Amino acid sequence: MAGVTEWFPGWAGRLRAPRSHDVEFRLGLERTLHDEVAVSLSAMVVQLDLLAGTTCPDPALAARIDVARSAICDAVEEVRRLGRVLFSPVLRGGGMANAVRAAAEHGELQLRLDLPDHDFDLAAQKRIGLLVVDRLHALRPNTRVRVRVRGRRFVRVSIIERPPGRRERRYWAVMTCG
């Protein structure tokens, strides 16, 4: 049997819709990175600041402490960036539409978002939002993207992207919600 891309040129393929336990797993990873790893690393920066303030005025030691402090601050930012990729904090608190817009803005994408008039429950918003945000994270800056979501119980998600200088690609997913 021929694949969908052979029958419909321009359709790149089907996206795998996240299940409820996928959403909870990713949310847990993001919380662990933020609440445990990033906070622990930030506490190390405070310890280094205290150490720098209590040591003798040795310029070589102060320089080494400053380098270590800078490296830890960079690691904190990287952990936070990774956490946002795993599960958008905006998706957790601001809803699906805001999370999609934030991901598009962060990725410097030209977004056209087409959502239904009705609201989805929180679990559905997280699943749909995670699906769309994951795809947006994979795009290069200045890509034009159209995201269309339709349905209530059977939700259809269509993502059409046009990277600069490339042809249009289409992705789709269908998931049951509710």
Side-chain angles (χ1 to χ4, degrees):
M1 182 168 157
V4 73
T5 56
E6 294 172 36
W7 287 98
F8 302 103
W11 282 91
R14 183 174 182 271
L15 296 172
R16 183 186 160 290
R19 295 170 294 205
S20 296
H21 71 272
D22 296 330
V23 172
E24 292 308 315
F25 178 73
R26 298 262 300 264
L27 180 57
L29 285 176
E30 186 271 335
R31 283 183 179 150
T32 298
L33 284 173
H34 183 271
D35 296 346
E36 294 177 25
V37 178
V39 170
S40 296
L41 288 171
S42 296
M44 289 174 69
V45 170
V46 172
Q47 291 294 328
L48 284 174
D49 287 344
L50 290 172
L51 181 64
T54 59
T55 60
C56 61
D58 179 1
L61 181 58
R64 288 178 65 191
I65 290 174
D66 194 47
V67 167
R69 184 184 188 289
S70 179
I72 293 172
C73 287
D74 290 346
V76 168
E77 285 306 310
E78 186 62 22
V79 165
R80 288 187 175 144
R81 186 198 63 75
L82 181 59
R84 284 191 302 270
V85 169
L86 286 173
F87 196 92
S88 169
V90 179
L91 182 57
R92 182 174 47 198
M96 176 181 57
N98 290 333
V100 170
R101 287 186 185 103
E105 183 179 313
H106 180 74
E108 299 176 21
L109 306 172
Q110 300 170 25
L111 175 69
R112 188 168 147 211
L113 184 58
D114 184 5
L115 298 175
D117 294 335
H118 63 84
D119 288 331
F120 293 102
D121 66 19
L122 189 56
Q125 284 189 45
K126 287 179 180 179
R127 288 182 63 214
I128 298 164
L130 190 58
L131 171 79
V132 174
V133 167
D134 277 355
R135 186 66 210 146
L136 296 183
H137 284 309
L139 301 178
R140 59 175 27 169
N142 296 317
T143 297
R144 291 187 322 216
V145 184
R146 179 177 182 218
V147 175
R148 186 170 192 226
V149 179
R150 288 292 178 262
R152 285 186 187 267
R153 177 152 166 70
F154 296 100
V155 177
R156 299 170 311 279
V157 178
S158 167
I159 301 175
I160 303 171
E161 57 191 54
R162 177 133 196 166
R166 298 213 171 156
R167 68 181 199 143
E168 182 177 275
R169 295 182 64 144
R170 298 168 180 247
Y171 295 89
W172 58 276
V174 177
M175 62 181 81
T176 56
C177 295

